[in-house]
Amino acid sequence: KYGKGHNNWWQVDLEGRYPVYLVLLHNRWDCCQNRINGAEVYLDSYKCGYVEYYRGVSVYPINCGGKTGRVVKVVQKHNFLTLAEVQVFGTGGPGLSVPNFGTGNVMLLSHEKK
């Protein structure tokens, strides 16, 4: 669902319950970069964190801490939701079970639910 107003969202069904460690939100560069400010990332009903917009930043890492879930959802309650790409990193699923871990200071660009 997208549009101006309340509770615009994007989601993906992982087609199974898996541990999710990191969600990378790739912001658009061509315009409107500040629209991503306040976007929230959920794993099922667990709120992994939200985006705090920084000028010039194009990728926002959100730490889900290895919580297990099926649906990853990005919600923008107060503006358009404009995303260039979303990457979900975890373990399990078809094929090889190889953990994917982000590098760097995740807390620098996102806020985790305590």
Side-chain angles (χ1 to χ4, degrees):
K1 176 182 179 290
Y2 58 91
K4 180 78 170 164
H6 302 288
N7 297 319
N8 297 298
W9 56 269
W10 174 93
Q11 74 178 27
V12 62
D13 186 335
L14 302 176
E15 299 183 357
R17 293 182 53 77
Y18 302 106
V20 173
Y21 293 93
L22 181 68
V23 177
L24 292 180
L25 302 180
H26 294 257
N27 200 9
R28 61 186 292 176
W29 271 99
D30 56 337
C31 82
C32 321
Q33 294 88 3
N34 64 326
R35 289 181 180 170
I36 200 167
N37 190 53
E40 300 170 339
V41 176
Y42 293 87
L43 179 60
D44 294 336
S45 62
Y46 175 76
K47 183 177 175 182
C48 297
Y50 67 93
V51 173
E52 185 175 335
Y53 170 73
Y54 290 95
R55 185 176 160 186
V57 173
S58 63
V59 180
Y60 292 87
I62 305 293
N63 185 351
C64 287
K67 297 286 185 190
T68 299
R70 180 181 178 113
V71 175
V72 175
K73 187 172 187 177
V74 181
V75 177
Q76 177 51 283
K77 294 180 180 177
H78 307 291
N79 206 339
F80 290 102
L81 177 61
T82 55
L83 301 167
E85 182 178 354
V86 177
Q87 294 177 286
V88 179
F89 296 89
T91 57
L96 298 174
S97 294
V98 178
N100 296 293
F101 298 98
T103 59
N105 185 352
V106 173
M107 289 301 292
L108 173 65
L109 299 177
S110 66
H111 297 271
E112 294 178 327
K113 181 178 177 182
K114 300 283 182 188

